Amino acid sequence: MTMTRNINPALCSIAAIALALPVAAVAQVQTYSFNIPAQDLASALRQFAQTSRQQVSFSGATVRGLRSVPLHGAHSVDGGLGILLRGSGLTVRRAGRVLVIQKAEASISPVSTQASGGRTPGDTAQQQESASEADTRDTEIVISGSRIDRPGFESPTPLTRVSAQELSVASRANVGAALADLPQFKAGQSPQTSGTNAQAGRMPVDLRGLGAARTLVLLDGRRFASDNDLSTIPSVLVKDVDIVTGGASAAWGSGAVAGVVNVLLDHDFKGVKLGAEAGISTYGDAGQRRLEAAFGTEFDGGRGHFMVGGEYLENDGLMTKTARENTGRWVLLTQNGVSTLTPNVGYANAFIGGIITSGVLKDRGFNPDGSLRTPSLGTAIGANMIGGESPSDDDYSPLATPQKRIAALANVSYEVFDNAKLTVEGRYSRYWGNYTWFGDHNRGNITIQRDNAFLRPEIRAQLDAAGQTSFTMGRYNSDLSYTSIDVAREAYQGTVALDGSFGGGTWRYGAYYSYGEYRNDIDTPGFRKTVEFANAVDSVIGPGGTPVCRIALTNPAISCVPLNLFGEGAPSAAAIAYVTGTPSLRSTTRLHTFGADLRGEPVELPAGPVSIAVGVEGRWESIESVAGVLDRQRVFATFQFGDLSGKDSVKEAFGEVVIPILKGVPLLNKLEFNGAARYSDYRNSGGIWAWKLGATNEFLPGVVGRVTRSRDIRAPGLSDLYTTRTQSYVGVVDVNPVTGVSQSVTAQVIGGGNANLLPEAADTWTAGITTSPLRGLTASLDYFDITINGVIASVGAQDVINRCRAGNEDLCGRISRDAGGNLIEVRAVPANLQQYQTNGVDGEIAYTTTLGGDPSKRLSFRLVGTWVNSLTIDDGITTVEYVKNTSYAFVTGMPDWRINGSIGYSHNGFNAVVRGRYIAPGYYNRNQNITNNRVPAYAYVDLQLSQTIAAGGRELDIYANVSNLLDKDPPIASLFSPFYDTIGRFVTVGARIRL
């Protein structure tokens, strides 16, 4: 079907509200409650910025060796900075929304903290923007949507910054889990969605629901070797996370299609921080413990800085999927053409201890002693059964996977010259987990001969009376081949970087090299071996009167152990060891990456300086996955790992420019153009361009518009290119192009990677407005529209045939026929086949004020929301809408509305935050006709309370977090939900001391 995109009228309402609220607010002089001791000036300014929520910019050379006076009590930003800088010989000016600390000059006027509100067209504004620019050009500024680092520059690409304090609400296990609470993200991989796959312990992020591979994750602006897994970063050292919600490949390269998540570490941390916390659900399970520590110090008079930090986390998980309401044993069943999500469903053809599925004894089960019984049968629908004794893997497999994790990072930086800083960093993380996985069962497909050695005489007699020589049975193998998974993942990375400036700070440069490894070791004991299982099941009474394998009578060299399947607990330990084995995988991904860039302001125009950034980057990636010996021999009946080996590399050059066009003109107070381009030359897929065009303009004081148009890319992953070639035979329906006859045939299907894949290309528009006309008040509204062409997708053999018949000539080239048109071979490998499209609006409003006229009492509000108008996939035959799919992680989907709102209160060290999370009504799967498809709207409430006790230069924080305060049950059939909480109310208490 073809979908028509309509922009909801609500968009206009949102825009009106976002613009009207700031205008309607009451202007006031904002004050803040400070408690900053005398210390080095750099640390005091950072603490000031955190308390007042201002952007304060300064260079290390400007403040080196200076001390601050103490700052206590309630002060405005002007007054507070004036006190901190007293006697330092420094002053402040505003560059855009940034407060720039610089050497005092007679021409510099006092700071104005009203965001652009003090600017008027003419000479005064010109002086404020241009004074002593050179003194601030070596300032360290990270703008994650751009490579330009000029103070006051505002990237046209939308960006949201989330502080470490905001990430701490609800005590999530890692940074990725905390980000998944935000409206722009989908938790496609998490402990809740990985109970029966091999991804447990990983937490990549997925912006816009377009897939984790289309969100680029950076650590301090550099790629890291953990496959975008944010659980490998120690959160104790995280200062902020920047979220770029627009295409950014021109700035950062492949993968930045949906956006960028840039984790920023607290490189200025000094002192000692120790913390411990423990949490548990109000059901008494899913316990979690965390220990954290960090240390930072300056040395050599402030020229150097060292920090190290790490954390240990242990989470018990929830070990059965039926541990909560509405999760386990729900299955989508179809009866009489009507599909319904149905509770309490298990297997109809596999019972614990075994059930006979044919002949005169059909539907009889086995007792532990091998005798027959009549089991409790529910309603059978195909291979499933509602109620009765029907077992399910949900009774044994985890709802949330347990995990143990350590993560550590050390960083040392030193100003080797006045304008050059050398940084060396090392990172290590390890995850390990061992838990029940899923069962390797026999679904009614075992043939038992009447002379089976373990069959009781009375059963054999009943078979003889009926003239039966055999029967089939099914068995739920909880006592035989119920597998476990043992996972260990390690990540190492080392980085060396040099940053500095020359020409009096007019030019800044940076260069780095990094090497990392990501190791993934998996063992999954308990899978049945095909040949051994068949031999062991077919047992007879041997010459000595004991059970033997029938095959051993004709081939004594075979060391076969007979297997008793009749009754729970019947298989012997020796037989289990003989018929089962351990699929295993040892995988190592390696990443070499380097980069060098140069930034500066080479030309001054009437409207301001032109800023440029140019640079080169390169990456070498490789993967080596080696499956176990038995896997490669295809020994197992239902599961085996495969080898994967490949490498790719890319050489890149990029450039970016910001050109001020107009300044001080009514409605065009500050108009700037931003352009960027990147050329990437891939070893496997060749060269490709990414680019961005954008503009920002200050229409009114504090009201800034922004717009971008970009081409973004995502190169094929190593698994897309190099998955090991496979060969199988599959039944398909084919229309012979010569005879026109449609028939079911068995075709040879070739699978694996596709070395001919091309990069995906995305066309992105963003347009929005930000406003901050009053102290403490900010608001933004941004529209996004992303279309990704040539999306890499796996294509099954039947899909290849169908799409060829529908006119896809590329896929027709993957089909081989003989002269008579008969199907010979189908190459079902990944292809650049699909198109993804999504559009919608992001909005945010934040306000901070004092309460009751008391400057020590602060009240803050924040509202963040995303409206998704459309999320479609065009697979070459149809275009399908997926917005409002919310209940199943492995189906594409995002809610149409998702909103987070928080209210915070602080007074004399006491802090309280109440957060609400709203998810609009949706569907389990909107593209299926399901009678109970509808998912109602959900609202969760989280609570955070903390008290800071300061004494003798030390601070003790005592805190408590409650997630899902109202203990809301998840929607029905939400076993693998990426949005809904399945744990229930979860309480965490902890303490943190700073020395």
mmCIF file of all heavy atoms in Angstrom, residues 3-18:
data_model
loop_
_atom_site.group_PDB
_atom_site.id
_atom_site.type_symbol
_atom_site.label_atom_id
_atom_site.label_comp_id
_atom_site.label_asym_id
_atom_site.label_seq_id
_atom_site.Cartn_x
_atom_site.Cartn_y
_atom_site.Cartn_z
ATOM 1 N N MET A 3 1.518 5.013 1.309
ATOM 2 C CA MET A 3 1.131 5.860 2.431
ATOM 3 C C MET A 3 1.287 7.326 2.041
ATOM 4 O O MET A 3 2.261 7.729 1.419
ATOM 5 C CB MET A 3 2.012 5.568 3.658
ATOM 6 C CG MET A 3 2.069 4.096 4.051
ATOM 7 S SD MET A 3 0.454 3.402 4.405
ATOM 8 C CE MET A 3 -0.056 4.412 5.776
ATOM 9 N N THR A 4 0.342 8.147 2.425
ATOM 10 C CA THR A 4 0.403 9.587 2.200
ATOM 11 C C THR A 4 0.784 10.266 3.490
ATOM 12 O O THR A 4 0.174 10.045 4.523
ATOM 13 C CB THR A 4 -0.951 10.116 1.708
ATOM 14 O OG1 THR A 4 -1.303 9.422 0.519
ATOM 15 C CG2 THR A 4 -0.872 11.606 1.440
ATOM 16 N N ARG A 5 1.810 11.126 3.436
ATOM 17 C CA ARG A 5 2.268 11.823 4.633
ATOM 18 C C ARG A 5 1.494 13.110 4.803
ATOM 19 O O ARG A 5 1.432 13.942 3.909
ATOM 20 C CB ARG A 5 3.772 12.134 4.533
ATOM 21 C CG ARG A 5 4.644 10.896 4.645
ATOM 22 C CD ARG A 5 6.085 11.307 4.744
ATOM 23 N NE ARG A 5 6.574 11.759 3.462
ATOM 24 C CZ ARG A 5 7.657 12.518 3.309
ATOM 25 N NH1 ARG A 5 8.328 12.944 4.339
ATOM 26 N NH2 ARG A 5 8.073 12.876 2.114
ATOM 27 N N ASN A 6 0.899 13.261 5.981
ATOM 28 C CA ASN A 6 0.184 14.485 6.308
ATOM 29 C C ASN A 6 0.753 15.061 7.588
ATOM 30 O O ASN A 6 0.916 14.350 8.569
ATOM 31 C CB ASN A 6 -1.313 14.209 6.509
ATOM 32 C CG ASN A 6 -1.977 13.751 5.228
ATOM 33 O OD1 ASN A 6 -1.808 14.390 4.198
ATOM 34 N ND2 ASN A 6 -2.708 12.637 5.285
ATOM 35 N N ILE A 7 1.035 16.337 7.594
ATOM 36 C CA ILE A 7 1.526 16.981 8.807
ATOM 37 C C ILE A 7 0.336 17.317 9.685
ATOM 38 O O ILE A 7 -0.543 18.069 9.323
ATOM 39 C CB ILE A 7 2.315 18.253 8.468
ATOM 40 C CG1 ILE A 7 3.447 17.906 7.495
ATOM 41 C CG2 ILE A 7 2.865 18.902 9.714
ATOM 42 C CD1 ILE A 7 4.395 16.875 8.000
ATOM 43 N N ASN A 8 0.309 16.699 10.856
ATOM 44 C CA ASN A 8 -0.805 16.851 11.770
ATOM 45 C C ASN A 8 -1.010 18.312 12.151
ATOM 46 O O ASN A 8 -0.052 19.042 12.388
ATOM 47 C CB ASN A 8 -0.496 16.023 13.034
ATOM 48 C CG ASN A 8 -1.701 15.842 13.902
ATOM 49 O OD1 ASN A 8 -2.292 16.820 14.340
ATOM 50 N ND2 ASN A 8 -2.036 14.592 14.174
ATOM 51 N N PRO A 9 -2.258 18.780 12.234
ATOM 52 C CA PRO A 9 -2.497 20.157 12.682
ATOM 53 C C PRO A 9 -1.927 20.440 14.053
ATOM 54 O O PRO A 9 -1.702 21.594 14.414
ATOM 55 C CB PRO A 9 -4.031 20.250 12.685
ATOM 56 C CG PRO A 9 -4.480 19.219 11.711
ATOM 57 C CD PRO A 9 -3.494 18.096 11.810
ATOM 58 N N ALA A 10 -1.679 19.358 14.828
ATOM 59 C CA ALA A 10 -1.084 19.581 16.152
ATOM 60 C C ALA A 10 0.274 20.259 16.054
ATOM 61 O O ALA A 10 0.720 20.920 16.983
ATOM 62 C CB ALA A 10 -0.930 18.242 16.895
ATOM 63 N N LEU A 11 0.963 20.101 14.897
ATOM 64 C CA LEU A 11 2.255 20.746 14.732
ATOM 65 C C LEU A 11 2.150 22.254 14.907
ATOM 66 O O LEU A 11 2.978 22.896 15.547
ATOM 67 C CB LEU A 11 2.817 20.404 13.347
ATOM 68 C CG LEU A 11 4.134 21.078 12.944
ATOM 69 C CD1 LEU A 11 5.220 20.724 13.947
ATOM 70 C CD2 LEU A 11 4.533 20.650 11.550
ATOM 71 N N CYS A 12 1.115 22.824 14.312
ATOM 72 C CA CYS A 12 0.932 24.274 14.449
ATOM 73 C C CYS A 12 0.666 24.659 15.893
ATOM 74 O O CYS A 12 1.151 25.682 16.381
ATOM 75 C CB CYS A 12 -0.222 24.725 13.558
ATOM 76 S SG CYS A 12 0.055 24.387 11.804
ATOM 77 N N SER A 13 -0.091 23.830 16.591
ATOM 78 C CA SER A 13 -0.381 24.116 17.994
ATOM 79 C C SER A 13 0.880 24.075 18.832
ATOM 80 O O SER A 13 1.094 24.906 19.716
ATOM 81 C CB SER A 13 -1.400 23.093 18.533
ATOM 82 O OG SER A 13 -2.593 23.160 17.787
ATOM 83 N N ILE A 14 1.735 23.077 18.550
ATOM 84 C CA ILE A 14 2.985 22.971 19.309
ATOM 85 C C ILE A 14 3.831 24.214 19.106
ATOM 86 O O ILE A 14 4.388 24.792 20.040
ATOM 87 C CB ILE A 14 3.783 21.733 18.861
ATOM 88 C CG1 ILE A 14 2.950 20.468 19.081
ATOM 89 C CG2 ILE A 14 5.087 21.626 19.612
ATOM 90 C CD1 ILE A 14 3.555 19.261 18.421
ATOM 91 N N ALA A 15 3.925 24.633 17.842
ATOM 92 C CA ALA A 15 4.736 25.814 17.557
ATOM 93 C C ALA A 15 4.199 27.034 18.283
ATOM 94 O O ALA A 15 4.959 27.828 18.851
ATOM 95 C CB ALA A 15 4.767 26.062 16.045
ATOM 96 N N ALA A 16 2.885 27.185 18.285
ATOM 97 C CA ALA A 16 2.294 28.344 18.946
ATOM 98 C C ALA A 16 2.569 28.322 20.437
ATOM 99 O O ALA A 16 2.903 29.335 21.051
ATOM 100 C CB ALA A 16 0.789 28.379 18.678
ATOM 101 N N ILE A 17 2.448 27.153 21.040
ATOM 102 C CA ILE A 17 2.690 27.045 22.485
ATOM 103 C C ILE A 17 4.147 27.342 22.804
ATOM 104 O O ILE A 17 4.479 28.078 23.725
ATOM 105 C CB ILE A 17 2.298 25.640 22.979
ATOM 106 C CG1 ILE A 17 0.778 25.459 22.857
ATOM 107 C CG2 ILE A 17 2.751 25.427 24.405
ATOM 108 C CD1 ILE A 17 0.330 24.031 23.099
ATOM 109 N N ALA A 18 5.057 26.755 21.986
ATOM 110 C CA ALA A 18 6.488 26.936 22.258
ATOM 111 C C ALA A 18 6.898 28.388 22.168
ATOM 112 O O ALA A 18 7.784 28.856 22.888
ATOM 113 C CB ALA A 18 7.313 26.108 21.282
#
